[in-house]
Amino acid sequence: MPSPSHPVRQITVLVTAGALGLAGGVAAPTQAAPDPATPRTTTVVCDQLGEVPLEVTGRLDGPGGVRVAGKGPVTVSNASAIRVVARSGAARRAAALEKRAVKTKGLRCEPVTVRTTAGQLGDGTKVAAAGMTAAQSVDATLQVDVTFDTDAIVRAAADNVVTAAAAANDPAGYGKVEAFPYASQLSSYTASRSGSVALAYRSMGSSTIYSHVKGSATNVTASIVKVAVMATVMDKAQREGRALSSWEKSQMVPMIRYSDNAATTRLWNHVGRGPAVGAVLGKMGLRQTTPGYAGYWGLTVTSAPDQVVLVDHFSRTNPVINNTNRAYGLSLMRSVASDQDWGVTSGPGDDIAVKNGWLPRSDGWHVNSVGYSHKTPIPYSVAALTHSSSAGMSTQIATIEGASRIIWNGRSTGSGSPATRRGDWNGDGRADLLAIRGDQLYIMWGKGAGQVSGASGISGGWTSTNWIGSPGDVTGDGRPDLVARRSNGDLMLYPGNGRSGLQAPRRIGVRFGSLAFMAASGDFDGNGRPDLIGRNSAGELRLYELPASGNALYKGVVGTRWNQMNALVGVRGVNTDGRSDGIGVRRDGNAYAYTSTGKNYIGATLVGTGWIPSREAGPGDLNGDGREDVARATATQVKTYRLATGGGLTTLQSIGLGGVRLLA
């Protein structure tokens, strides 16, 4: 697996004299002093990185004092100039120095506070507080400059490479890995962002993983590895035939909710470090993950599809993690500290399970985010890995959040084939509403929470159009498109430009004038392509698929004896199977909700009365709850309605705008 390039990171490590190898941390006259020539190992825990070993020789009270050197791929650049930065009674100064180290270096190693006897360091500096004798103890915190050759650490992890061993029927394992259907939109967005971006997504009920990569497909994990550590702890408990222990939970809670690094190190060591984590990830079927070497859990290397598979072992029933542990893990990821609730939470917003990680190295910032949104009707798992040699952490967070909004808007229909959110005409993540009055096309901008603005004119020349609708993204560029039927029966496709406008139309069908009504049904059959439905004079519902290029394709009859139905609106969300459902309006003005089986509509639940056929529309998800909503026009106003499971409708807003035909 390729490793990140030339990553050498110099940071400031704060440790204490007691951590530097004095016997027991507190010297006592009766204790045997360690041999000054015998190296001892002490460790410090560093943010997002893991446990760092240092080699110590000498004693504070011995000849030459204490000397510190790096161990393995770690070097101490100023071993002959170790400095005392805090003594007894100087805790505020130590805290200020530590805070400055965080601000200037971006990476902090946690000091270990231990009391020790007075003595001297390698540079002759004496450790003693005023009025103390040599036998009295003192708090001494040492500042040591340490350089990490993280490339060497990553290379040293080669023996930990995961070998996929998941059963073929593991519902949370790998399926096909394909490009996003709206890859051009993601490419356009990520091209404008600094550095590498790797994204992956999978919807509930699907095995297919959608992936997009700009630059490197792999990245160091930093703290997102804590999800893998949590899974390994759970696997250990299950293999031992027990529930999670109180101690394991006491470490897991701060590790996930607050990204506690010391707790992570304790659990990493508890399960058996990288080899043990790799064995569990192998059970899950991960293919491109190398657990970190020794104590360096933050230098695990992974890919976005692997992280989606990992998260799905918490979101889906599977053979590796039992349901009790899955639910517990998700509960922790849903309750992370507010200052860490960013990244892939953008788009779905609240109530998403998330874990983030960030690590500054000599080659720039590595910022990652993984999570699971269970918002119906399309729950999904998502991962975003970023790295930039020039942009800071906040910029990389913004990159992840922008990509997350695009994925949220284009999330899957539930069958595994994404379809862009219908009705978001300017790409701001909110559905809008189109209408025609006279020869003018108007738009009512979505404002969130189910509200839309007053109408603004877009273009003229629509007098010859007798029906308009938006089935979703026809062209595959990530933007919703418009289909219109002219009075001569021609069916025209107007691609959206993502900026509230429409591109030049092309004809995609002829002789559609004989249909009594048409409906932009969304994805009726769940195959990932947008569809249209029309009713002919015989009362048959006829299904047409809209390919990315070419003409509309007739797919067959999906309903009979619909003569009493004078209008149909395609909406997704009457149930949660991901296929587009429908609201039908009969000649008597009664409105009924139907669900799609992929081959026909079933059910007939009364959801409204007094409706006027041909004045209804499905503009998309107006209030952001994951269900597409409904709008209808009367002689004097336009009303918007929230769709509930089962087809129930509640009024969202009424706008004083009469005499319009809505986009259906």
Side-chain angles (χ1 to χ4, degrees):
M1 179 184 304
S3 63
S5 60
H6 58 274
V8 178
R9 181 66 186 170
Q10 180 170 315
I11 66 171
T12 296
V13 180
L14 298 179
V15 298
T16 68
L20 297 183
L22 288 170
V26 179
T30 59
Q31 291 178 322
D35 182 355
T38 302
R40 287 95 68 199
T41 298
T42 188
T43 59
V44 290
V45 177
C46 297
D47 283 355
Q48 306 287 318
L49 184 67
E51 192 175 54
V52 178
L54 301 175
E55 195 168 78
V56 183
T57 55
R59 298 199 313 268
L60 283 175
D61 57 352
V66 173
R67 296 173 299 283
V68 181
K71 189 177 171 93
V74 178
T75 59
V76 176
S77 60
N78 62 343
S80 63
I82 301 171
R83 301 175 302 281
V84 178
V85 297
R87 294 176 180 163
S88 185
R92 285 193 301 273
R93 184 182 173 200
L97 283 167
E98 184 178 349
K99 184 176 180 181
R100 186 162 70 245
V102 175
K103 182 177 180 181
T104 58
K105 300 292 186 179
L107 188 64
R108 179 175 60 87
C109 295
E110 299 180 8
V112 182
T113 303
V114 182
R115 293 179 68 80
T116 187
T117 56
Q120 68 178 10
L121 304 178
D123 63 351
T125 303
K126 291 184 178 180
V127 182
M132 294 182 65
T133 66
Q136 290 177 311
S137 60
V138 62
D139 290 329
T141 303
L142 311 180
Q143 179 171 303
V144 183
D145 291 336
V146 177
T147 299
F148 298 90
D149 183 351
T150 49
D151 252 349
I153 296 171
V154 170
R155 288 194 300 271
D159 291 340
N160 293 341
V161 174
V162 165
T163 301
N169 63 351
D170 185 346
Y174 261 87
K176 296 183 296 182
V177 178
E178 299 180 351
F180 281 88
Y182 43 96
S184 60
Q185 185 180 11
L186 287 172
S187 294
S188 177
Y189 173 74
T190 57
S192 69
R193 307 300 298 179
S194 173
S196 293
V197 183
L199 308 167
Y201 159 97
R202 181 164 61 181
S203 64
M204 184 63 69
S206 172
S207 63
T208 300
I209 299 172
Y210 292 96
S211 174
H212 172 80
V213 175
K214 174 205 170 189
S216 176
T218 60
N219 196 11
V220 291
T221 57
S223 277
I224 63 171
V225 76
K226 293 170 183 177
V227 180
V229 174
M230 176 169 64
T232 308
V233 175
M234 292 174 173
D235 176 79
K236 174 180 171 66
Q238 290 171 193
R239 285 187 290 105
E240 295 173 357
R242 59 176 177 81
L244 293 170
S245 70
S246 58
W247 180 84
E248 287 168 334
K249 287 186 175 182
S250 74
Q251 304 302 304
M252 207 175 291
V253 169
M255 177 179 73
I256 299 297
R257 286 183 175 168
Y258 308 109
S259 206
D260 186 281
N261 301 293
T264 308
T265 292
R266 287 189 283 270
L267 289 175
W268 177 263
N269 293 335
H270 169 65
V271 298
R273 295 190 166 187
V277 173
V280 173
L281 298 184
K283 288 183 186 180
M284 295 177 172
L286 274 68
R287 300 172 179 175
Q288 297 173 296
T289 298
T290 305
Y293 168 74
Y296 299 99
W297 42 259
L299 293 178
T300 295
V301 178
T302 193
S303 69
D306 266 20
Q307 289 302 301
V308 163
V309 172
L310 172 58
V311 171
D312 270 344
H313 276 80
F314 288 91
S315 68
R316 305 180 183 205
T317 299
N318 66 88
V320 182
I321 304 178
N322 67 39
N323 289 339
T324 299
N325 285 335
R326 288 195 310 107
Y328 181 67
L330 284 179
S331 72
L332 297 182
M333 293 173 68
R334 284 196 179 108
S335 57
V336 298
S338 59
D339 63 342
Q340 297 179 31
D341 187 10
W342 47 261
V344 295
T345 57
S346 185
D350 60 352
D351 202 19
I352 181 173
V354 66
K355 188 71 195 79
N356 298 318
W358 55 97
L359 181 64
R361 299 167 71 192
S362 64
D363 63 342
W365 276 92
H366 299 255
V367 183
N368 308 316
S369 183
V370 300
Y372 166 67
S373 170
H374 75 293
K375 286 194 172 183
T376 57
I378 314 157
Y380 65 88
S381 296
V382 61
L385 313 178
T386 71
H387 163 230
S388 174
S389 60
S390 58
M393 179 179 174
S394 60
T395 298
Q396 296 307 97
I397 290 175
T399 295
I400 292 172
E401 294 188 338
S404 179
R405 285 190 291 270
I406 292 173
I407 291 172
W408 167 255
N409 292 344
R411 62 200 186 279
S412 165
T413 62
S415 61
S417 303
T420 297
R421 175 189 286 188
R422 295 200 295 159
D424 180 13
W425 292 97
N426 63 354
D428 67 354
R430 304 182 180 99
D432 309 305
L433 181 59
L434 293 182
I436 290 178
R437 182 166 60 183
D439 73 338
Q440 290 290 313
L441 180 67
Y442 292 87
I443 191 163
M444 288 163 266
W445 300 113
K447 299 189 295 183
Q451 303 294 299
V452 296
S453 66
S456 302
I458 295 179
S459 63
W462 293 83
T463 305
S464 62
T465 300
N466 57 34
W467 175 83
I468 55 174
S470 177
D473 175 20
V474 177
T475 61
D477 63 358
R479 305 175 181 121
D481 303 313
L482 176 67
V483 176
R485 182 178 65 177
R486 292 178 175 170
S487 55
N488 64 359
D490 287 351
L491 198 65
M492 309 298 294
L493 173 68
Y494 293 80
N497 66 7
R499 299 182 302 277
S500 76
L502 301 172
Q503 302 178 52
R506 63 179 176 87
R507 187 168 58 188
I508 60 172
V510 296
R511 295 192 295 274
F512 277 78
S514 62
L515 296 174
F517 66 74
M518 295 189 67
S521 58
D523 185 9
F524 171 82
D525 53 10
N527 70 351
R529 294 302 311 168
D531 303 311
L532 298 177
I533 288 179
R535 197 211 82 190
N536 63 15
S537 58
E540 297 175 333
L541 292 183
R542 299 168 67 87
L543 177 68
Y544 299 86
E545 184 177 294
L546 298 176
S549 60
N551 294 335
L553 302 175
Y554 173 61
K555 304 294 288 186
V557 174
V558 294
T560 58
R561 295 184 294 180
W562 281 68
N563 304 72
Q564 297 301 311
M565 197 69 66
N566 272 17
L568 179 66
V569 176
V571 290
R572 187 175 60 204
V574 175
N575 65 9
T576 59
D577 66 3
R579 287 186 288 264
S580 292
D581 305 308
I583 303 291
V585 182
R586 296 185 179 179
R587 291 178 181 176
D588 59 8
N590 288 343
Y592 295 84
Y594 298 85
T595 59
S596 168
T597 67
K599 296 181 178 180
N600 55 28
Y601 284 117
I602 60 174
T605 303
L606 182 67
V607 295
T609 59
W611 287 39
I612 304 172
S614 302
R615 292 285 183 89
E616 292 74 33
D621 181 9
L622 291 169
N623 67 340
D625 65 355
R627 299 182 181 89
E628 294 180 346
D629 301 306
V630 178
R632 70 185 185 100
T634 69
T636 59
Q637 61 185 344
V638 172
K639 289 187 174 183
T640 59
Y641 298 86
R642 174 186 179 272
L643 177 70
T645 300
L649 299 171
T650 55
T651 301
L652 290 171
Q653 184 183 15
S654 297
I655 302 172
L657 180 69
V660 299
R661 289 181 287 127
L662 297 175
L663 177 141

